């Protein structure tokens, strides 16, 4: 490519870096102080652009009206952020950190449907910036004048934040809170209002990031989830809580994308490489490389141990007699569902969906709960299993039996490779690395049209004749029941005890000779293998597979199921899968605003059952047993 083209792409990268920095800076600030991984930050960005559209329409198309509209949108978003912190998040600061993630995910659903109700489903294209609606000739190419302003905005905001954090008392308190917020509280600082002000500033930056995009892109309901992935990557690469790190990471990521576009399609050794396709995944590849070399990001530091652990987890105990009777009754009901089809015609189909996601959630819980390894990318193994089963049947012409038998092994092989890198990290950084690998798998599947079918996926995958009608339901029920029982049995084996020992105290476990990383790696592989089995069962139940099964939303669904049911109970993921699927199916059938209802119910459950639904009932049973003088056995 000519020098002029590379130069213009470099400028494009600078403009994009400023946009990414604005949204990532707010996310980094919020996490640094409150330790909340705010999944709703992308929703605040989306609201910023919608509010800017309405404010500019209301104030008129003059220069004053345009810029005042953008500022008003950012301020309104900041005020909404403060309100959300006071009304909701302040009530769950004592809950486990992952539950706060669940609450912010519920906010994503509520805000998305509220935006749909207020502005409608159509994309809204805002006006061009008055006085900056032309282009400037640079090296023989034309470059948008508005993008030149964006290039300046990023460093200016970075400088203002630096002054705010280093030259004001508020900034000193914020920096102290990032190091030890409990000690800050012990010194008499009003943490509640400090957190509220930080959340408001973070929301303001997200809203500003969205508002300044008004002349560049239409306001769309898809912006929330598309932006949050980029923001997470930048915050993690730069170092959680580091504002300068966020800007450097945004600069690198934006320039890498611009470089891919500038290179275009290149012929090397007789093969053509389409570098623009890498823009979908280059940031995740870069994040994975950074985390392997520097696990806490470029400008971050090892996170202090959080003292906010919520309820201490009780040791695992074998099932009680009443629980076994309840499990047997549930199994009998599942066996009887096809017989009751005249009264409940849709029940077997819904039950099959629940079985598949219950196994998926149980496999995720295996590594999250007893293993203590958080994952934002578990859908990678579900998708590997689903695609392996589909391609073995359609492309390799294997039978259905061999396809289902080999598909989990393919998923397990993926977990073996990815897990080797992931178990070297912990906490949010590990979760983000799992997300990076999932996005890499998704990108390969999405763009490899000739093999995976691209965005259309693979269709026409149905069970063999001997498993037609209700027989496939019973086949899936048998495999899911055996898989869940096997995972449960593993947790009561010496391997399970070693896994939990590594989770509770890695140093003590290593001191008594437990190879913690190897144990966690094996647990990672087991979890990936059983997620692959769930994927294989899914593809034969639906008859097709598409890249959505590997997307971020699928991983988030699994995470929500585990947290909803209770991460500290073995039956939690099954309960979470049942409640999640039934609620989603019910709300989907009664209103187009089902996400808001679904999110509202999740918020109520988070507030009412901070240990998860199964965890709540386990706690109640424990207290009842104690009162009855029967010991602590639940």
């Amino acid at each position: 490519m000519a020098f002029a083209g590379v130069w213009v792409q470099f400028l494009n990268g600078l403009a994009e870096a400023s946009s990414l920095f604005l949204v990532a800076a707010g996310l980094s600030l919020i996490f640094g102080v409150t330790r909340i991984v705010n999944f709703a930050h992308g929703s605040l960005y989306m609201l910023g652009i919608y509010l800017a559209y309405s404010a500019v329409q209301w104030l008129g198309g003059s220069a004053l009206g345009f810029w005042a509209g953008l500022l008003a949108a950012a301020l309104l978003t900041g005020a909404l952020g403060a309100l959300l912190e006071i009304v909701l998040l302040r009530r769950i600061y004592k809950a486990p950190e992952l539950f706060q993630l669940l609450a912010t995910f519920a906010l994503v659903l509520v805000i998305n449907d509220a935006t749909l109700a207020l502005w409608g489903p159509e994309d809204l294209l805002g006006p061009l910036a008055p006085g900056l609606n032309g282009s400037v000739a640079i090296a023989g190419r034309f470059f948008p004048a508005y993008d030149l302003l964006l290039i300046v905005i990023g460093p200016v905001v970075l400088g203002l934040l630096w002054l705010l954090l280093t030259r004001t008392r508020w900034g000193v308190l914020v920096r102290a809170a990032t190091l030890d917020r409990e000690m800050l509280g012990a010194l008499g600082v009003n943490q509640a209002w400090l957190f509220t002000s930080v959340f408001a500033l973070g929301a303001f930056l997200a809203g500003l990031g969205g508002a300044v995009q008004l002349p560049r892109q239409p306001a769309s309901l898809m912006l929330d989830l598309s932006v949050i992935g980029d923001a997470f990557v930048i915050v993690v690469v730069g170092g959680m809580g580091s504002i300068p790190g966020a800007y450097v990471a945004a600069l690198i990521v934006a320039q890498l994308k611009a470089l891919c576009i500038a290179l275009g399609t290149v012929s090397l050794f007789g093969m053509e490489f389409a570098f623009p396709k890498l823009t979908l995944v280059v940031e995740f590849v870069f994040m994975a490389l950074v985390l392997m070399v520097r696990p806490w990001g470029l400008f971050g530091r090892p996170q202090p141990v959080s003292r906010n652990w919520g309820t201490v987890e009780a040791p695992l105990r074998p099932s009680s007699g009443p629980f076994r009777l309840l499990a047997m009754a549930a199994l009998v009901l599942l066996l009887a569902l096809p017989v009751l089809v005249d009264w409940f015609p849709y029940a077997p189909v819904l039950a099959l969906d629940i079985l598949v996601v219950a196994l998926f959630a149980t496999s995720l819980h295996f590594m999250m709960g007893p293993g203590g390894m958080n994952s934002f990318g578990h859908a990678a193994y579900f998708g590997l299993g689903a695609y392996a089963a589909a391609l073995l049947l359609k492309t390799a012409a294997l039978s259905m039996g061999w396809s289902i038998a080999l598909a989990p092994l393919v998923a397990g092989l993926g977990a073996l490779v990815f897990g080797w890198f992931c178990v070297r990290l912990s906490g949010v950084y590990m979760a983000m690395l799992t997300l990076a690998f999932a996005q890499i798998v998704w990108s390969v599947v999405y763009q490899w049209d000739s093999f995976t079918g691209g965005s259309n996926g693979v269709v026409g995958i149905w069970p063999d004749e001997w498993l037609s009608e209700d027989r496939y339901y019973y086949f899936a029920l048998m495999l899911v029941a055996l898989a869940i029982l096997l995972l449960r049995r593993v947790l009561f084996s010496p391997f399970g005890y070693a896994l939990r020992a590594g989770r509770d105290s890695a140093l003590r476990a290593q001191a008594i000779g437990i190879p913690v990383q190897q144990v966690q790696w094996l647990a990672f592989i087991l979890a990936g293998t059983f997620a692959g089995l769930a994927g294989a069962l899914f593809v034969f139940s639906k008859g097709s597979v598409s890249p959505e099964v590997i997307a971020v939303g699928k991983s988030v669904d699994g995470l929500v199921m585990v947290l909803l049911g209770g991460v500290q109970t073995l039956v939690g993921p099954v309960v979470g899968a049942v409640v999640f699927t039934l609620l989603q199916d019910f709300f989907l059938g009664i209103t187009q605003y089902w996400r808001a209802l679904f999110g509202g119910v999740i918020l109520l459950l988070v507030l009412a059952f901070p240990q998860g639904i199964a965890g709540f009932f386990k706690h109640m049973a424990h207290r009842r047993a104690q009162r009855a003088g029967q010991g602590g056995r639940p």
Side-chain angles (χ1 to χ4, degrees), residues 146-166:
Y146 184 77
D147 286 10
L148 289 175
L149 176 67
L150 282 183
I151 293 175
V152 177
I153 286 179
V156 168
V157 172
L158 174 63
L160 292 175
L161 286 175
W162 180 81
L163 289 174
L164 184 65
L165 293 174
T166 60

Side-chain angles (χ1 to χ4, degrees), residues 171-385:
V172 172
L173 295 178
V174 169
R175 285 187 290 132
T178 61
L179 298 175
D180 195 329
R181 60 179 181 176
E182 286 79 10
M183 183 59 70
L184 197 67
L187 294 175
V189 175
N190 189 333
Q191 289 190 69
W193 287 109
L194 181 66
F195 287 7
T196 302
S197 61
V198 167
F199 209 93
L201 178 59
F204 170 81
L205 290 171
L208 181 62
V212 297
Q213 295 301 312
L214 184 64
R216 301 182 79 213
Q217 67 180 105
S220 164
L221 295 172
M222 305 296 291
L223 285 176
D224 49 0
L225 291 182
S226 65
V227 167
I228 193 63
D230 292 338
F232 275 147
V233 168
I234 290 165
V235 170
V236 169
V237 170
M240 303 293 276
S242 172
I243 301 300
Y247 184 74
V248 172
L251 201 60
I252 295 174
V253 168
Q255 290 301 339
L256 284 174
K257 287 186 175 182
L259 181 63
C260 288
I261 296 173
L263 288 174
T265 302
V266 178
S267 295
L268 291 173
F269 309 108
M271 300 177 63
E272 289 194 343
F273 295 91
F275 282 94
K277 289 185 175 181
L278 291 179
T279 54
L280 291 175
V281 73
V282 65
E283 61 196 281
F284 294 100
V285 174
F286 178 64
M287 180 175 73
L289 293 174
V290 168
L291 291 182
M292 289 173 201
V293 178
R294 193 172 170 80
W296 45 86
L298 295 175
F299 290 78
R301 64 186 68 184
Q303 294 180 47
V305 176
S306 173
R307 300 168 197 172
N308 181 23
W309 292 104
T311 307
V312 176
E313 183 169 350
L316 294 179
R317 298 180 186 279
S319 305
S320 61
F323 177 80
R324 291 179 182 176
L325 287 176
L326 185 64
M328 288 299 298
L331 183 60
V332 170
L333 176 63
L334 288 172
L335 289 170
L337 276 182
V339 182
L340 306 175
V341 70
D342 290 338
W343 293 276
F344 309 103
Y346 186 53
V349 177
L350 189 60
L352 184 55
D353 291 343
I354 291 175
L355 288 174
V356 171
V357 295
L359 179 56
F360 175 57
T362 303
S363 67
L364 176 59
H365 173 266
F366 184 81
M367 59 182 289
M368 278 184 62
M373 298 176 287
N374 300 332
S375 174
F376 290 173
H378 203 58
Y381 315 107
F382 183 87
L384 282 173

Side-chain angles (χ1 to χ4, degrees), residues 363-364 366-367 378 381 415 487 522-532:
S363 67
L364 176 59
F366 184 81
M367 59 182 289
H378 203 58
Y381 315 107
L487 283 173
L522 184 54
F524 202 104
I525 296 168
L526 280 174
T529 302
F530 282 98

Side-chain angles (χ1 to χ4, degrees), residues 387-400:
Y387 268 94
L391 294 173
L392 286 170
L393 183 80
K394 299 287 284 189
T395 305
L398 294 183
S399 66
M400 173 191 165

